[in-house]
Amino acid sequence: MIQVRPVAFARVSTSPQRTGEVHRVTGETDVHVALDLDGTGRCQVATGVPFLDHMLHQLASHGLLDLEITARGDTHIDDHHTNEDVGIALGQALAQALGDRRGIRRFGHFLAPLDEALVQVALDCSGRPHLSYDLAIPAQRIGTYDTELVREFFVAVANNAGLTLHIRQLAGVNSHHIVEAGFKAFARALDQAVEIDPRRGGAVPSSKGVLERAGQVAA
């Protein structure tokens, strides 16, 4: 049985906390994620999947998230369950940190170059999960990491955070460069989208006055 336990994430601050913490336990994995949207890029991750750890460091550094992730999974089989469940827990923690999404800019867009690779990410913190994914990664593996898992990671994050997410490759031939450019573009677009817009005055950024919360309409 899946156990998901949101946990209070205490931090001394003079401003409202935008933090999330989730401990997700299944028969295949045990994943703990804590994040702070208003961080400085501090990152401590140990998932048992080295390339995923490298990409999570890019997410924290370029998205200015404080991110702590630990995972134990059945990596003796393959990396699929750990990769997906880290994405699920990360998405849930992000949704928790965003709450009803009051005051945020909501939309983000970034073009990230990495040598010959160029990847575009556009996203909307809409509460309506959707992923359009267009990375053509030449290699089947980067190190021991199956590149099919890149899409699975972003599916899990988008579905559980309630993101409308578009990832498009404009150029690139090196698999590592393409994937890393995608994570960097996602990080910068997310940073833009979750930023507080002072002109909003704390209002929900929607003409309807409400945004869905990871698949459920907010009250």
Side-chain angles (χ1 to χ4, degrees):
M1 178 179 294
I2 295 175
Q3 303 173 43
V4 179
R5 299 192 290 272
V7 185
F9 185 45
R11 185 173 66 98
V12 177
S13 175
T14 57
S15 60
Q17 293 181 356
R18 298 198 301 161
T19 59
E21 188 165 3
V22 169
H23 186 195
R24 186 175 191 273
V25 181
T26 74
E28 298 163 337
T29 63
D30 183 335
V31 179
H32 175 264
V33 173
L35 66 83
D36 184 344
L37 293 180
D38 301 307
T40 59
R42 179 177 58 84
C43 185
Q44 295 181 331
V45 297
T47 68
V49 183
F51 184 74
L52 179 60
D53 288 355
H54 178 45
M55 293 301 102
L56 292 168
H57 274 277
Q58 304 307 311
L59 177 58
S61 176
H62 295 282
L64 291 176
L65 301 171
D66 284 350
L67 191 60
E68 297 179 10
I69 300 178
T70 58
R72 296 196 308 273
D74 53 2
T75 52
H76 61 285
I77 298 174
D78 65 13
D79 295 338
H80 184 101
H81 295 143
T82 299
N83 178 86
E84 183 177 41
D85 288 2
V86 167
I88 289 171
L90 179 62
Q92 291 172 345
L94 179 57
Q96 186 186 132
L98 286 170
D100 60 9
R101 311 186 184 212
R102 290 182 179 273
I104 65 171
R105 295 192 184 277
R106 177 176 162 179
F107 298 94
H109 170 259
F110 199 79
L111 276 166
L114 178 55
D115 296 346
E116 89 297 342
L118 182 64
V119 176
Q120 176 189 51
V121 169
L123 64 84
D124 176 7
C125 296
S126 61
R128 297 187 301 276
H130 174 81
L131 174 66
S132 288
Y133 177 88
D134 183 29
L135 296 185
I137 306 170
Q140 182 178 350
R141 292 187 180 275
I142 301 173
T144 60
Y145 185 81
D146 188 338
T147 53
E148 286 186 347
L149 298 182
V150 177
R151 185 182 185 279
E152 299 308 312
F153 176 83
F154 282 116
V155 167
V157 173
N159 284 347
N160 287 275
L163 302 180
T164 301
L165 177 60
H166 291 255
I167 304 174
R168 178 179 298 178
Q169 179 181 332
L170 302 182
V173 295
N174 180 281
S175 297
H176 191 133
H177 292 170
I178 292 166
V179 176
E180 186 167 332
F183 270 83
K184 288 176 176 177
F186 173 68
R188 290 297 298 269
L190 182 65
D191 182 48
Q192 290 177 16
V194 304
E195 185 181 18
I196 296 296
D197 185 346
R199 294 179 298 170
R200 285 279 176 200
V204 174
S206 170
S207 58
K208 297 181 293 187
V210 65
L211 289 173
E212 295 185 9
R213 297 180 65 176
Q216 295 185 347
V217 177

